[in-house]
Amino acid sequence: LMDFETLKTNLKNYLKNNTAFKDYNFEGSNMSVLIDLLSYNTYLNSFYTNMVASEMFLDTAQLRDSIVSHAKELNYLPRSYTSARATVNISILPSTSVSSVLIPRGTSFTSRVGSSTFSFTTAENIVINTADNDSFYRANDVFLYEGSYVTDTFVFNGDQSNQRFVLSNPTIDISSVTVTVVEDSGSSIIPYSRATSLFGVTNKSPVYFIQPAENQQYELVFGDDVFGRSPKNNAALIVEYRISSGELPNGASTFVSDGAIDGHTNVKVVTIESAASGSVAESIESVRYNAPRAVATQERAVTVNDYKTLLRVQFPEIQAINAYGGEDQDPPQYGKVFISVDIQGADGIPDKNKAVYYDFIKTKTPLTITPVFVNPDFTYIQVNTLVRYNVNVTQKTPEEIRINVQAAI
């Protein structure tokens, strides 16, 4: 890369080779100012051209918006924030005689992790029709998701070809997005579902697509009456989604109702599984690594690398994964793919995660292949270290050196 001084020297040498400037004193004349100006302009153009060229390719781009734009060309959707999820049992004792109790979608509960307070909400309506012998209405194995719900509203303008529907919050958990289209002055209310490909999508399918936008945001794309139904002109688009705090609420284990549920204040919450699996948006280095590999899989698992890529992209809590064919087993087990996973905050993979991962990957495997999740084997190493150092070449204390050595190991 040409720096300012190198450019300036080259210009002076070029002029000195001209007989008219052979003995010219560049440092003591006004010509030096003009040379500085030309060198500075050349340097800025060189720097700008280098940056533009770098941002044109996925391998060299540095700006997140550039990397996401290249990933979009590969039909890769960078992973969003993911809400931490806890499993609880909820018991409600009505103050009066009732036939059922409703726990509405979005019912909030509070939990603390350290000195921070987080809000958890239910993701669906839960109706309890019968009470136990002690008159409590109980809902078991209820999922609570960290975060609060936000609503964005748009008006669809069919005459505007470049209209965009960019969701306002960058910490959205895209798995929670729900879209409702209100048409004909409110007389027609149509729920739209998310589509991830064009397979099975007709001109009448009420679907929307999600794609990345600038500033770590996401935008919705609706059909064009060829692939997917287009909303009518002046239709209201109501988009509801959950915003997340990422991994900060992981470990939350005690939950308290934020108020009355269906008018009842006697609410007890028992935690079955503490909050886990919360994560922040995918890093730019992860997008750079995963985007080419995700497009190579084409949403199907054929090779062992396909299994690893699909699971890593879908589940951010996976920190290590390996897959191998059943023919490598002793004795061989043909028709199976064995997958070993280690997730954050646990040794190996809990049974509930195995079921979720299986349901996800099974839809992408050939009919004759059965995925099997197995627990990983761990090797634990105990390191005994004796450190010798020269007290004449360091100002660190023995404790500081001990901490540095432990961190390095």
Side-chain angles (χ1 to χ4, degrees):
L1 178 65
M2 299 291 285
D3 59 27
F4 176 80
E5 291 299 330
T6 301
L7 291 168
K8 183 177 179 180
T9 301
N10 289 342
L11 288 173
K12 287 182 179 180
N13 291 336
Y14 173 77
L15 292 175
K16 287 178 180 180
N17 290 331
N18 190 313
T19 56
F21 296 98
K22 185 174 183 180
D23 297 322
Y24 196 83
N25 184 359
F26 291 97
E27 297 300 332
S29 68
N30 290 335
M31 181 70 77
S32 179
V33 177
L34 297 177
I35 293 176
D36 285 348
L37 179 61
L38 184 57
S39 300
Y40 184 62
N41 180 69
T42 305
Y43 176 75
L44 287 181
N45 285 332
S46 173
F47 180 82
Y48 176 77
T49 303
N50 180 70
M51 291 297 100
V52 169
S54 296
E55 297 302 313
M56 291 175 64
F57 303 97
L58 181 62
D59 288 341
T60 55
Q62 299 298 314
L63 299 177
R64 183 180 182 88
D65 284 351
S66 300
I67 293 175
V68 167
S69 179
H70 292 305
K72 184 164 63 174
E73 295 175 358
L74 298 174
N75 196 33
Y76 179 76
L77 180 65
R79 190 172 58 245
S80 70
Y81 272 68
T82 303
S83 296
R85 190 185 77 175
T87 306
V88 301
N89 292 341
I90 301 175
S91 301
I92 301 173
L93 180 61
S95 55
T96 59
S97 178
V98 296
S99 59
S100 64
V101 171
L102 169 66
I103 303 177
R105 178 177 183 267
T107 300
S108 62
F109 300 80
T110 298
S111 183
R112 293 178 62 87
V113 177
S115 59
S116 300
T117 301
F118 299 96
S119 177
F120 285 73
T121 55
T122 54
E124 59 185 2
N125 292 329
I126 302 173
V127 179
I128 314 172
N129 291 314
T130 57
D132 289 345
N133 294 331
D134 54 4
S135 299
F136 274 94
Y137 285 76
R138 288 185 170 84
N140 296 326
D141 296 329
V142 176
F143 292 141
L144 300 182
Y145 295 87
E146 185 274 329
S148 56
Y149 283 91
V150 174
T151 301
D152 287 346
T153 303
F154 307 92
V155 177
F156 187 83
N157 185 352
D159 299 327
Q160 185 177 346
S161 60
N162 60 346
Q163 185 178 15
R164 301 180 65 192
F165 308 101
V166 179
L167 303 181
S168 59
N169 200 297
T171 63
I172 172 179
D173 182 346
I174 61 174
S175 67
S176 65
V177 173
T178 60
V179 177
T180 303
V181 176
V182 181
E183 299 176 342
D184 301 326
S185 300
S187 62
S188 177
I189 301 177
I190 305 172
Y192 271 54
S193 58
R194 178 185 169 191
T196 57
S197 71
L198 296 180
F199 292 112
V201 177
T202 69
N203 62 331
K204 296 182 180 180
S205 300
V207 298
Y208 65 90
F209 302 87
I210 295 181
Q211 67 181 23
E214 60 277 3
N215 300 321
Q216 299 189 44
Q217 295 174 296
Y218 293 85
E219 67 175 311
L220 304 184
V221 178
F222 292 87
D224 56 1
D225 286 331
V226 177
F227 289 103
R229 178 186 184 275
S230 174
K232 292 183 179 180
N233 201 25
N234 296 323
L237 313 178
I238 303 174
V239 185
E240 188 179 32
Y241 56 84
R242 188 173 55 244
I243 56 176
S244 168
S245 301
E247 77 275 12
L248 297 179
N250 287 344
S253 58
T254 302
F255 301 90
V256 178
S257 175
D258 287 340
I261 297 179
D262 200 14
H264 311 295
T265 58
N266 192 341
V267 179
K268 297 180 180 179
V269 182
V270 178
T271 302
I272 305 303
E273 293 179 353
S274 299
S277 301
S279 65
V280 297
E282 189 170 6
S283 68
I284 59 175
E285 290 305 319
S286 177
V287 174
R288 197 197 310 272
Y289 178 85
N290 285 326
R293 290 159 180 80
V295 72
T297 66
Q298 294 295 317
E299 288 296 318
R300 83 284 183 270
V302 177
T303 69
V304 292
N305 287 330
D306 293 341
Y307 287 87
K308 292 188 284 188
T309 298
L310 289 169
L311 286 166
R312 273 189 179 277
V313 169
Q314 182 69 19
F315 302 103
E317 69 270 17
I318 294 178
Q319 62 181 4
I321 184 172
N322 191 28
Y324 51 93
E327 68 275 7
D328 295 330
Q329 289 280 69
D330 186 18
Q333 299 185 37
Y334 299 106
K336 294 182 179 179
V337 171
F338 292 88
I339 306 169
S340 181
V341 173
D342 182 32
I343 66 173
Q344 299 173 358
D347 288 339
I349 173 174
D351 290 340
K352 67 181 182 66
N353 292 72
K354 288 182 182 179
V356 173
Y357 297 167
Y358 176 86
D359 291 341
F360 167 76
I361 202 66
K362 181 58 180 175
T363 61
K364 304 178 185 301
T365 61
L367 291 176
T368 57
I369 300 297
T370 301
V372 179
F373 286 88
V374 296
N375 292 322
D377 292 329
F378 291 92
T379 301
Y380 298 94
I381 300 175
Q382 180 177 348
V383 180
N384 295 320
T385 306
L386 178 63
V387 180
R388 293 185 174 89
Y389 64 97
N390 189 339
V391 296
N392 296 320
V393 295
T394 181
Q395 296 181 346
K396 294 183 181 294
T397 65
E399 180 63 18
E400 290 174 329
I401 293 177
R402 184 184 68 82
I403 294 174
N404 290 342
V405 171
Q406 284 184 333
I409 293 176

